[in-house]
Amino acid sequence: MEKIRLLKAEEVECRVQQVTSKNGAVLLLYKDARVDMRILDETFGAMNWQRHHGRDNANCIISVWDEDKKQWIEKEDTGTESQTEAAKGLASDSFKRAGFNWGIGRELYDAPFIFVPLAESEVTKNSKGKNTTYTKFKVAEMEYSEEKRQFVKLKIVDNKEVVRFELGKKVAAPKAPAESVSSNTEVKPIKLEYVKFTGTQCLIQSNNGKWYRVEDLPLKQLETIINDERFAAGYSAIRATINAKAVGAK
């Protein structure tokens, strides 16, 4: 009889089990029932396995045809109801549990404890007043050692493809984006030694310590100071004045 392969990263999903008071999410890894169907088809052939449900979908039996023994081999397990669509969820859960008996996704039982630090902005309250998060997570990379019976690689990212968990490494919560300064925010003026602004007027300090409007300075002097880093703050005004004077000189 063919051997069941290990799950691929894209076949494993993440569910937030709990959001703690310390702004962290505890994640669980799980498989979808469609993964079991796909692997059964792939391993034994679509016509060589079957499923039966009993006790109002609480139990599921997966049968696989054994060509050597010329008989059906059965493995059974019991599921639990989901919070939504109880009957359908019960059938799906019992089927997945029976799949575990056949070895489909059994490595998930050896999954490490997955704790993902959350930014304050990612934590909110649900209708019962408990911490929750709307951030979604998925498995980006996964590798399991059958010999050691443990995960040797596991990387989880969020819906923005940012790494949030990596086995054996410490991953911090994402930093909150810097707040933008609105047009109504009062910005304190910066004291400049050689350039200052009064409204939209740019003033340049000359060697004699006096302040002059940039448009009152001669073109040759402007062409000299524009390359002087001491006047870098007034570069745009100086360049505009040079251009204006150059056009006027023609």
Side-chain angles (χ1 to χ4, degrees), residues 44-98:
F44 304 112
M47 305 302 293
N48 294 321
W49 70 273
Q50 53 188 345
R51 61 190 281 190
H52 303 282
H53 287 274
R55 294 178 53 242
D56 296 325
N57 291 327
N59 280 33
C60 179
I61 298 173
I62 295 179
S63 303
V64 173
W65 178 254
D66 188 325
E67 184 62 31
D68 294 331
K69 295 183 175 65
K70 302 297 182 182
Q71 68 181 52
W72 291 96
I73 307 298
E74 299 180 344
K75 296 192 178 184
E76 180 180 6
D77 212 324
T78 302
T80 57
E81 292 183 355
S82 63
Q83 295 180 352
T84 58
E85 298 185 273
K88 181 179 178 181
L90 182 58
S92 177
D93 192 61
S94 61
F95 175 60
K96 289 187 292 181
R97 288 175 183 267

Side-chain angles (χ1 to χ4, degrees), residues 4-7 31 39 99-100 103-109:
I4 299 287
R5 65 167 173 79
L6 296 173
L7 297 179
K31 57 173 179 166
I39 291 180
F100 276 122
I104 303 175
R106 194 177 292 171
E107 63 269 28
L108 297 182
Y109 285 126

Side-chain angles (χ1 to χ4, degrees), residues 114-176:
I114 305 172
F115 181 83
V116 176
L118 299 173
E120 287 188 17
S121 59
E122 294 181 297
V123 180
T124 186
K125 298 287 185 182
N126 61 20
S127 59
K128 297 181 180 179
K130 294 184 178 181
N131 285 349
T132 188
T133 183
Y134 293 109
T135 303
K136 303 298 182 183
F137 303 95
K138 67 178 181 179
V139 177
E141 296 179 19
M142 185 179 80
E143 188 177 329
Y144 180 81
S145 170
E146 293 184 272
E147 180 181 352
K148 298 179 180 179
R149 297 185 63 82
Q150 66 181 26
F151 281 80
V152 294
K153 179 185 291 186
L154 181 61
K155 181 185 291 185
I156 294 174
V157 300
D158 59 23
N159 44 317
K160 296 181 180 179
E161 299 298 327
V162 176
V163 176
R164 304 300 297 271
F165 176 89
E166 189 165 0
L167 188 63
K169 296 183 180 180
K170 187 175 182 179
V171 181
K175 295 182 179 180

Side-chain angles (χ1 to χ4, degrees), residues 179-227:
E179 295 183 2
S180 59
V181 180
S182 69
S183 58
N184 296 324
T185 303
E186 182 181 354
V187 180
K188 295 182 179 180
I190 300 174
K191 185 177 180 181
L192 300 173
E193 188 175 359
Y194 296 98
V195 179
K196 69 179 180 180
F197 293 87
T198 57
T200 59
Q201 181 66 59
C202 178
L203 301 178
I204 302 295
Q205 188 180 45
S206 184
N207 290 334
N208 59 15
K210 293 183 179 181
W211 292 93
Y212 297 91
R213 296 188 306 171
V214 66
E215 59 265 32
D216 293 336
L217 296 176
L219 180 60
K220 185 171 290 188
Q221 186 177 0
L222 292 172
E223 291 174 338
T224 299
I225 67 174
I226 196 171
N227 295 316

